[in-house]
């Protein structure tokens, strides 16, 4: 139990202990060449997901009411392939509510959506095992046991694997080989899975909904994708994705107007003065991206949805108007993989299908995140 609690507290920790861990894993994770190696695996998962979507449609082509949970399955399958070197089987048609993939999704939702309660409210859990803390520990126990199982399997494979250079190693294998400590690899996997499943899934829900309800912009993305990928059967490359300038600008504009992560919190490590206010060490400060991205002083005509603003370089546009992954030392560890997953999904999906939406408009709701509230019944029409 002590090991599991150590893992949990490190995920919640700020300061030197967090910095020590981050320094051990950020080099292999943040290097562009590491991400490039995962274009093909993520494309394979996404192809399976699109087939899953095709089979899930009704006679009108509409996806089911719980399609947001299917997006969570795709997200988990992608992250499992990156963080644990495995296909978790999330896209099987016969998954039950008690299946391991669904349990991981439910546990990740609970963990991410309650961490703010543990961090920002009175920390009674540090002194007595409150019901929320107990459930949180049980959730984390499940995650640690899961990660440990797959990491031990990777260690066994690594013992007999012929390695001539770092290029022969997966991300997980690189961390295991460089650190020699399975605990570091476990925490890395925890970080990527816990933070990645729900945030990427909710971001994709928002991006697909905006694409389905903004026909002009969707067609512009589709045209760009056709130009870059004239042959839809040709495997994607990192260079292909790099050419999708308008598609990436569309995603960035969605993040600006509908920031999935409503703010970036930081615990001050020393006293500071912000806007004339003295803020003592240890206080949580939140940068509210859900507000700043829609402020006239930072963005020209902020109520206008205009992906071109990220390409044209004219008008008022603060570089922090879209800050989905944070900034600085604590910038999201998995941001390059998140971008990769989103770009691959859009490239593969919009190349072959037009998205439509024929139901009551969805309002956005603020919870731990900001996302469309209600059944995401998108319609897929072959192009």
């Amino acid at each position: 139990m002590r090991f599991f609690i150590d893992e949990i507290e490190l995920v919640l920790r700020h300061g030197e202990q967090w910095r020590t861990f981050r320094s051990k894993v950020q080099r292999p994770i943040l290097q562009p060449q590491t991400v490039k190696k995962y274009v093909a695996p993520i494309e394979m998962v996404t192809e399976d997901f699109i087939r899953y979507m095709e089979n899930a449609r009704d006679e009108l082509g509409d996806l089911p009411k719980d399609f947001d949970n299917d997006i969570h399955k795709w997200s988990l399958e992608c992250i499992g392939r990156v963080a644990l070197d495995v296909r978790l089987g999330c896209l099987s048609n016969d998954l039950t509510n008690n299946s391991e993939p669904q349990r991981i999704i439910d546990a990740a939702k609970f963990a991410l959506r309650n961490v703010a309660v543990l961090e920002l409210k009175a920390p009674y859990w540090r002194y007595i095992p409150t019901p929320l803390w107990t459930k949180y520990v049980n959730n984390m126990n499940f995650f640690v046991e899961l990660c440990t199982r797959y990491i031990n399997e990777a260690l066994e494979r690594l013992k007999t694997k012929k390695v001539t250079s770092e290029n022969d190693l997966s991300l997980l294998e690189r961390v295991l080989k460089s650190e020699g400590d399975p605990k570091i690899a476990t925490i890395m996997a925890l970080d990527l899975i816990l933070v990645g499943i729900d945030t990427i899934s909710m971001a994709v829900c928002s991006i697909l909904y905006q694409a389905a309800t903004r026909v002009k912009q969707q067609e512009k993305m589709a045209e760009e994708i056709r130009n870059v990928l004239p042959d839809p059967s040709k495997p994607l490359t990192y260079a292909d994705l790099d050419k999708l300038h308008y598609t990436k600008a569309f995603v960035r504009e969605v993040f600006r107007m509908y920031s999935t992560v409503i703010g970036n919190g930081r615990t001050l490590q020393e006293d500071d003065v912000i806007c004339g206010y003295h803020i003592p060490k240890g206080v949580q400060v939140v940068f509210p991206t859900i507000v700043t991205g829609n402020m006239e002083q930072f963005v020209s005509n902020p109520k206008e949805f205009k992906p071109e603003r990220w390409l044209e370089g004219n008008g008022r546009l603060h570089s922090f108007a879209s800050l989905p992954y944070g900034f600085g030392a604590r910038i999201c560890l998995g941001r390059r993989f998140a971008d990769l997953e989103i770009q691959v999904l859009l490239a593969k999906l919009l190349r072959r299908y037009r998205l439509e939406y024929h139901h009551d408009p969805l309002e956005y709701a603020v919870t731990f995140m900001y996302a469309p509230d209600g059944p995401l019944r998108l319609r897929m029409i072959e192009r």
Side-chain angles (χ1 to χ4, degrees), residues 48-214:
D48 289 347
F49 181 49
I50 292 174
R51 283 191 288 271
Y52 181 95
M53 293 168 67
E54 291 167 345
N55 294 329
R57 293 178 295 174
D58 64 16
E59 64 278 1
L60 295 176
D62 283 0
L63 291 160
K65 292 182 178 180
D66 61 349
F67 178 57
D68 63 309
N69 190 64
D70 294 332
I71 293 176
H72 278 79
K73 293 176 182 177
W74 162 79
S75 177
L76 174 57
E77 192 75 5
C78 289
I79 295 169
R81 182 62 183 81
V82 171
L84 297 173
D85 278 357
V86 293
R87 289 291 302 264
L88 293 169
C90 304
L91 300 175
S92 301
N93 291 319
D94 55 353
L95 286 184
T96 65
N97 289 335
N98 198 41
S99 65
E100 184 175 86
Q102 190 60 53
R103 288 172 61 207
I104 297 170
I105 291 168
D106 293 341
K109 286 181 181 179
F110 177 85
L112 189 62
R113 298 178 188 194
N114 285 282
V115 68
V117 178
L118 293 172
E119 279 208 300
L120 300 179
K121 289 192 174 182
Y124 298 119
W125 57 272
R126 292 187 182 276
Y127 310 102
I128 57 173
T130 64
L132 178 60
W133 171 248
T134 301
K135 188 171 181 179
Y136 200 93
V137 169
N138 290 337
N139 259 351
M140 294 295 284
N141 285 345
F142 170 62
F143 272 114
V144 174
E145 289 166 354
L146 176 88
C147 292
T148 301
R149 174 170 23 116
Y150 287 115
I151 287 166
N152 286 339
E153 291 175 4
L155 273 171
E156 290 302 311
R157 291 194 301 270
L158 195 56
K159 290 177 182 177
T160 57
K161 184 171 184 175
K162 294 181 179 179
V163 179
T164 58
S165 72
E166 275 198 346
N167 290 331
D168 297 328
L169 299 172
S170 68
L171 171 62
L172 176 59
E173 289 169 341
R174 287 182 65 185
V175 173
L176 287 170
K177 192 171 181 65
S178 63
E179 295 303 322
D181 184 357
K183 185 175 179 180
I184 296 296
T186 302
I187 298 171
M188 179 200 72
L190 279 173
D191 197 339
L192 292 175
I193 294 171
L194 280 172
V195 177
I197 295 174
D198 212 12
T199 51
I200 293 174
S201 300
M202 291 294 95
V204 167
C205 287
S206 184
I207 291 164
L208 295 184
Y209 176 69
Q210 292 301 321
T213 55
R214 298 181 184 276

Side-chain angles (χ1 to χ4, degrees), residues 259 261-266 284-293 295 298 318-324 326-327:
S259 179
V261 177
I262 61 178
N264 294 292
R266 299 291 182 265
Q284 277 265 2
V285 177
V286 176
F287 182 84
T289 52
I290 194 174
V291 176
T292 54
M295 292 176 66
F298 301 129
H318 197 286
S319 58
F320 285 1
S322 177
L323 208 63
F327 187 77

Side-chain angles (χ1 to χ4, degrees), residues 249-311:
F250 180 92
V251 172
R252 201 167 185 189
E253 186 71 345
V254 172
F255 284 150
R256 179 191 69 80
M257 287 192 71
Y258 310 95
S259 179
T260 307
V261 177
I262 61 178
N264 294 292
R266 299 291 182 265
T267 298
L268 293 184
Q269 300 301 297
E270 56 187 37
D271 289 8
D272 205 346
V273 176
I274 302 176
C275 297
Y277 292 92
H278 175 260
I279 313 295
K281 174 182 177 180
V283 169
Q284 277 265 2
V285 177
V286 176
F287 182 84
T289 52
I290 194 174
V291 176
T292 54
N294 291 279
M295 292 176 66
E296 182 73 38
Q297 68 191 87
F298 301 129
V299 184
S300 298
N301 303 315
K303 295 187 182 300
E304 179 185 3
F305 186 90
K306 186 181 178 184
E308 292 81 0
R309 73 172 77 243
W310 298 101
L311 303 173

Side-chain angles (χ1 to χ4, degrees), residues 13 45 47 63 164 171 262 299 312 344 350:
R13 191 63 57 90
V45 172
E47 288 280 11
L63 291 160
T164 58
L171 171 62
I262 61 178
V299 184
E312 295 170 351
V344 169
L350 298 185

